[in-house]
Amino acid sequence: MAFTLQIGETAPDFSLPATDGNTYQLSDFDDAETLVVFFTCNHCPFVLGSNEATRETAERFAPHGVTFVGINANSEKTHPNDDFEHMVEEMEKHSFPWVYLRDKPQDVARAYGALRTPHFYVFDRERKLVYTGRGVDNPREVEKMTVNDLANALEEHVAGKPVSVPLTNPIGCNVKWEGEDAHWIPEDACDLV
């Protein structure tokens, strides 16, 4: 079995606390025609560089029944800025148009096979995976991007077409797994493989 969720597979369930004080399960988003689950965090320069592009995509497709859910699974031992308190601060500061969930035990990230931050998963009405991978082709310097793969996938999907490029490689920092060497990483750097 592949480490990351495969096209056509069903969205794994979750029950996670959010920055708004509620706990959410997959079924709480049953009203969404399309669900975008993405693994993100507070510190990664690839996330910080592309958050506004993700916001624009979320706002553009919201009228088409597309709902975005962000999940932070990073170990706060590796990056203290990825703790829940900093997540709340990020949402208060930026008012992102998505629910922001904390996966401290990292079980949900493992179930989805999250590889990077950011890493996007697009699910259809039946919660089958129709797209996974990157948001844009240059998330760290979004002004230099040439392709918004996530927006392209959503455009085709909401139009009732098959997604022509359903799989791309996510570009960003590795998910910071608990128990891995918490070596010091400069704030402006990411450990890319």
Side-chain angles (χ1 to χ4, degrees), residues 53-126:
T54 304
R55 179 200 300 274
E56 287 171 19
T57 302
E59 290 174 347
R60 175 182 165 193
F61 288 97
H64 300 278
V66 180
T67 297
F68 277 60
V69 176
I71 300 176
N72 176 11
N74 273 2
S75 167
E76 57 198 55
K77 290 178 183 171
T78 307
H79 255 287
N81 283 356
D82 279 329
D83 66 10
F84 189 77
E85 289 70 26
H86 283 91
M87 290 173 59
V88 172
E89 286 175 18
E90 282 295 294
M91 289 302 280
E92 286 175 352
K93 184 177 176 183
H94 298 288
S95 299
F96 291 123
W98 50 78
V99 174
Y100 195 14
L101 307 176
R102 179 67 171 136
D103 177 24
K104 190 170 182 178
Q106 304 185 314
D107 296 335
V108 178
R110 284 191 187 88
Y112 280 75
L115 300 172
R116 306 253 185 247
T117 54
H119 188 168
F120 295 86
Y121 297 82
V122 178
F123 297 96
D124 65 12
R125 191 75 189 88
E126 286 70 48

Side-chain angles (χ1 to χ4, degrees), residues 46 116-118 133-140 169-173 192:
F46 294 85
R116 306 253 185 247
T117 54
R134 67 193 188 188
V136 300
D137 65 345
N138 197 335
R140 190 166 183 160
N169 285 324
I171 302 170
C173 297
L192 293 168

Side-chain angles (χ1 to χ4, degrees), residues 6-79:
Q6 301 295 291
I7 298 300
E9 290 187 334
T10 304
D13 200 0
F14 52 78
S15 180
L16 297 172
T19 55
D20 65 7
N22 296 313
T23 297
Y24 290 87
Q25 297 174 321
L26 189 64
S27 59
D28 289 317
F29 304 99
D30 281 353
D31 288 347
E33 286 297 319
T34 305
L35 185 66
V36 179
V37 175
F38 67 107
F39 290 84
T40 183
C41 66
N42 299 328
H43 83 275
C44 170
F46 294 85
V47 168
L48 299 179
S50 60
N51 267 337
E52 290 307 313
T54 304
R55 179 200 300 274
E56 287 171 19
T57 302
E59 290 174 347
R60 175 182 165 193
F61 288 97
H64 300 278
V66 180
T67 297
F68 277 60
V69 176
I71 300 176
N72 176 11
N74 273 2
S75 167
E76 57 198 55
K77 290 178 183 171
T78 307
H79 255 287

